[in-house]
Amino acid sequence: MRLRIFTEPQQGASYDDLLAVAQEAERLGFDAFFRSDHYLAMGGDGLPGPTDAWTTLAGLARETSTIRLGTLVTSATFRLPGPLAVTVAGVDQMSRGRVEFGLGAGWFDAEHRAYGIGFPDTPERFDRLEEQLEVITGLWADTTGSYSFDGEHYTISDSPALPKPAQERIPVIVGGKGKRRTPALAARFADEFNVPFVSVEETRTLFTRVREACEKAERDPSTLAWSNALVVCAGADEAEIARRAAAIGRDVDELRENGLAGTPAEIVDRIGAFAEAGTERIYLQVLDLSDLDHLALVAEEIMPHV
């Protein structure tokens, strides 16, 4: 089981905050450092304000050396696919091949209104997501030096399809709870399928849908990685668990039911249940970025046992 750190900077974090967490996660041996891609806090003032995901990751690419870096997930509404392909490939070069690329349809209407970003209806957002996935992966893979694409929402004509990533293929992450289009997109484009903040039972259901979509697309499901995102709240005892839950405004019992909360032994058992459901990677959502001791506890008392 690979454990990855997942942050939500729009809730209130500077670049220096993210750098401290990424470097500590690297030192402690976590598999990856990921961040959300949002421009508006979901509750609270979000001070000092949002940071752009790919600008941040470009900086981290030069200030870390081994940990993998990515988004969970970039919204297809935020950027045009051609420039986004250039940006992500550039960050991959800057990191010497450590980038992973999550892309989704977008869902948070308020942040679009707050920053003047168009927010089409759900079917159109998924249409755009599908075209963006095809264009971006097509640009990276093209060997002709003259890539073209004629879609409903995006048209590419004779692109040199540059720059190329450092990796032969940047891993693409598709995720969500959709019943039809999400599994189909994962089967067609993804290297990893991620489900956010669901139970073990729902994880099984969502993984099954994607496996069925893979079979329909004549793709071997074993070529996909399978992952969950879950909030983490670990403590050596009940008092420490309660303190960490209070710091992020959450109830301990609710976190135990819906996330990874409790003592290290409890969390190891809970991770084991997800592993039995097919999970191979867990993105640990860390919401208090000032508590680096929390990362150390997870690394020292949980990671060796999963």
Side-chain angles (χ1 to χ4, degrees):
M1 179 71 70
R2 297 182 181 181
L3 298 184
R4 301 179 150 197
I5 298 302
F6 171 41
T7 61
E8 298 271 7
Q10 77 280 353
Q11 297 303 107
S14 67
Y15 172 76
D16 286 339
D17 295 328
L18 296 174
L19 175 61
V21 173
Q23 290 182 330
E24 183 69 354
E26 180 172 81
R27 185 187 73 80
L28 291 167
F30 286 96
D31 182 59
F33 173 89
F34 272 62
R35 59 156 294 162
S36 60
D37 192 0
H38 286 294
Y39 291 126
L40 194 68
M42 300 158 199
D45 55 27
L47 293 175
T51 51
D52 180 80
W54 288 102
T55 301
T56 300
L57 291 171
L60 296 178
R62 305 306 288 180
E63 298 196 79
T64 58
S65 58
T66 59
I67 197 165
R68 296 191 69 79
L69 304 166
T71 51
L72 205 64
V73 293
T74 290
S75 174
T77 57
F78 288 174
R79 300 168 179 88
L80 297 171
L84 182 56
V86 170
T87 296
V88 178
V91 177
D92 194 53
Q93 291 180 0
M94 294 167 72
S95 71
R96 297 179 175 85
R98 291 183 285 126
V99 161
E100 302 189 13
F101 176 57
L103 187 66
W107 62 270
F108 190 23
D109 185 10
E111 70 184 337
H112 292 74
R113 288 185 276 107
Y115 286 95
I117 304 167
F119 190 69
D121 61 23
T122 300
E124 182 176 331
R125 293 202 309 278
F126 271 88
D127 290 343
R128 288 178 177 271
L129 171 61
E130 182 172 1
E131 289 190 18
Q132 287 214 6
L133 284 165
E134 183 164 351
V135 167
I136 292 167
T137 58
L139 286 167
W140 290 339
D142 180 75
T143 58
T144 69
S146 181
Y147 176 81
S148 297
F149 174 82
D150 186 13
E152 182 179 353
H153 301 287
Y154 307 105
T155 300
I156 308 290
S157 299
D158 300 322
S159 172
L162 295 172
K164 296 302 186 191
Q167 300 174 84
E168 183 176 348
R169 177 181 170 87
I170 293 177
V172 173
I173 303 166
V174 171
K177 306 174 189 178
K179 294 182 178 180
R180 184 178 62 87
R181 296 197 69 176
T182 297
L185 291 174
R188 183 178 174 192
F189 294 106
D191 298 279
E192 176 180 334
F193 177 67
N194 176 267
V195 293
F197 312 113
V198 302
S199 67
V200 172
E201 293 73 21
E202 190 170 358
T203 294
R204 288 195 185 95
T205 298
L206 293 170
F207 284 179
T208 296
R209 285 181 189 154
V210 175
R211 289 192 182 97
E212 290 172 349
C214 285
E215 291 166 3
K216 186 175 181 180
E218 299 183 345
R219 177 179 179 180
D220 181 354
S222 69
T223 60
L224 268 171
W226 307 86
S227 66
N228 288 78
L230 296 161
V231 64
V232 64
C233 182
D237 53 35
E238 290 301 321
E240 189 169 72
I241 297 164
R243 175 176 63 79
R244 288 198 164 113
I248 61 174
R250 300 284 287 270
D251 176 76
V252 173
D253 291 339
E254 178 267 324
L255 284 173
R256 274 194 162 103
E257 181 177 353
N258 298 311
L260 297 176
T263 63
E266 284 182 273
I267 292 174
V268 167
D269 288 344
R270 179 82 164 152
I271 290 174
F274 279 97
E276 290 177 1
T279 301
E280 299 169 331
R281 302 171 182 175
I282 294 181
Y283 294 79
L284 303 172
Q285 187 190 49
V286 176
L287 295 173
D288 182 358
L289 301 187
S290 67
D291 187 1
L292 298 183
D293 289 341
H294 193 194
L295 299 186
L297 177 66
V298 174
E300 294 164 7
E301 301 295 333
I302 296 173
M303 193 155 51
H305 303 289
V306 299

